[in-house]
Amino acid sequence: MSLKTILPLLLTLLASQTIHALLQTSPIVLPHQRQQHRRSFSSSPQTATTSGTTTALYATSPRELVQRGMQRFRDGDVVSSISYFDEADKSVPDGSLRPFLWQRGISYYYADQFEEGSRQFRDDVAVNPLDVEEIVWDIACLNRLSNTAVPRSQMMSLPPGKTDRRPIMSTVYQLFRGDATEWELFRKGTALTRQRGGREEFYALFYLGLYCESRGEVGKAESYMRAAAGTSYAKGVGIGDYMTAVARVHCELRGWV
């Protein structure tokens, strides 16, 4: 049976699975220890604060600003989230926080600020060259900037001889760099679906969606991303994983709900 024929059936099955091994899952480990309807893009950070004042935005710690930015993103307010991340960046004058604001890079992507997103991810990889997720998000930004797949010469890569120890992310990296197929990533995600509460299944589907969208294949992107947001991991044990919120917000912003 061809990939074109089997994918819709498999995606439907994946999206409807029950939570796998909820009590046996290991802790979520994400880059830099990251932990219902479409909202307006125009809210300012001041209106998003609990006090509703300008002072509330500035009189707080960098960590609190980042957390507020993440919450604004979860709420679907991408522009406001960027404002919080910007203020967190400014609050550390020596710039040492900047390479760790991967959340801002994701917000830039959804604000269609792909050049800024690429710059953020490249700053991140400069201090953490083994971070595969930052590399593939940069490739997604570059694809969107050029409206086509960028040549390998413009892509970041892992240091020679280095690989990602996570099986699913290793294949995600290979897909974005042209060394693996969608089917290979999809198959690996389904094969590992009973591990870690379905986490690998979610990440396979999520990055398949991001990959296809960045290359202009919107129909396939929608199928993959909706399936990712509907996995047992995204709706169960992984509900606190920021990337499951990204999948949900992605679908909301695109009208895929």
Side-chain angles (χ1 to χ4, degrees), residues 77-92:
D77 192 345
V78 176
V79 170
S80 180
S81 74
I82 292 172
S83 295
Y84 277 114
F85 298 140
D86 286 348
E87 289 307 319
D89 188 5
K90 293 175 185 176
S91 72
V92 184

Side-chain angles (χ1 to χ4, degrees), residues 8-136:
L9 298 174
L10 291 176
L11 289 172
T12 300
L13 289 173
L14 290 172
S16 63
Q17 288 181 359
T18 56
I19 297 172
H20 298 302
L22 177 60
L23 298 179
Q24 286 75 36
T25 56
S26 56
I28 298 167
V29 179
L30 295 168
H32 312 311
Q33 300 178 334
R34 66 179 65 164
Q35 288 210 300
Q36 273 104 290
H37 57 279
R38 182 172 180 171
R39 308 290 178 88
S40 170
F41 268 168
S42 61
S43 299
S44 68
Q46 288 79 14
T47 59
T49 60
T50 54
S51 68
T53 65
T54 303
T55 307
L57 174 60
Y58 293 95
T60 189
S61 70
R63 178 173 180 171
E64 289 172 323
L65 287 166
V66 170
Q67 289 174 338
R68 291 182 184 182
M70 293 172 72
Q71 186 56 52
R72 296 311 295 164
F73 181 89
R74 291 187 183 98
D75 293 340
D77 192 345
V78 176
V79 170
S80 180
S81 74
I82 292 172
S83 295
Y84 277 114
F85 298 140
D86 286 348
E87 289 307 319
D89 188 5
K90 293 175 185 176
S91 72
V92 184
D94 65 1
S96 59
L97 179 62
R98 190 166 304 134
F100 301 100
L101 287 172
W102 54 268
Q103 304 96 329
R104 180 168 62 179
I106 292 175
S107 290
Y108 279 144
Y109 178 89
Y110 289 105
D112 292 342
Q113 296 178 239
F114 304 117
E115 187 171 352
E116 292 87 346
S118 175
R119 187 180 304 115
Q120 176 68 60
F121 294 123
R122 286 174 178 256
D123 285 345
D124 299 352
V125 173
V127 299
N128 186 6
L130 300 181
D131 194 332
V132 164
E133 288 185 82
E134 311 271 19
I135 292 173
V136 300

Side-chain angles (χ1 to χ4, degrees), residues 93 105 175 251:
L175 172 69
C251 290

Side-chain angles (χ1 to χ4, degrees), residues 20 34 42 66 94 97 131 157 174 178-179 192 200 216 241 246 256:
H20 298 302
R34 66 179 65 164
S42 61
V66 170
D94 65 1
L97 179 62
D131 194 332
S157 61
Q174 292 168 1
D179 297 323
L192 296 172
E200 317 301 14
D241 181 338
V246 174
W256 298 345

Side-chain angles (χ1 to χ4, degrees), residues 150-216:
V150 297
R152 287 172 64 98
S153 61
Q154 296 181 24
M155 299 177 183
M156 290 191 293
S157 61
L158 289 170
K162 298 295 184 180
T163 59
D164 195 292
R165 71 181 187 278
R166 299 166 295 175
I168 206 67
M169 290 312 302
S170 178
T171 309
V172 167
Y173 172 77
Q174 292 168 1
L175 172 69
F176 274 77
R177 286 189 44 85
D179 297 323
T181 65
E182 290 175 48
W183 175 243
E184 287 173 318
L185 178 54
F186 182 85
R187 184 174 57 186
K188 181 161 285 187
T190 58
L192 296 172
T193 190
R194 293 188 178 278
Q195 298 183 18
R196 304 187 69 182
R199 181 179 184 274
E200 317 301 14
E201 171 195 28
F202 165 79
Y203 274 89
L205 291 167
F206 176 85
Y207 280 110
L208 281 165
L210 184 67
Y211 171 79
C212 289
E213 180 180 86
S214 76
R215 295 166 66 92

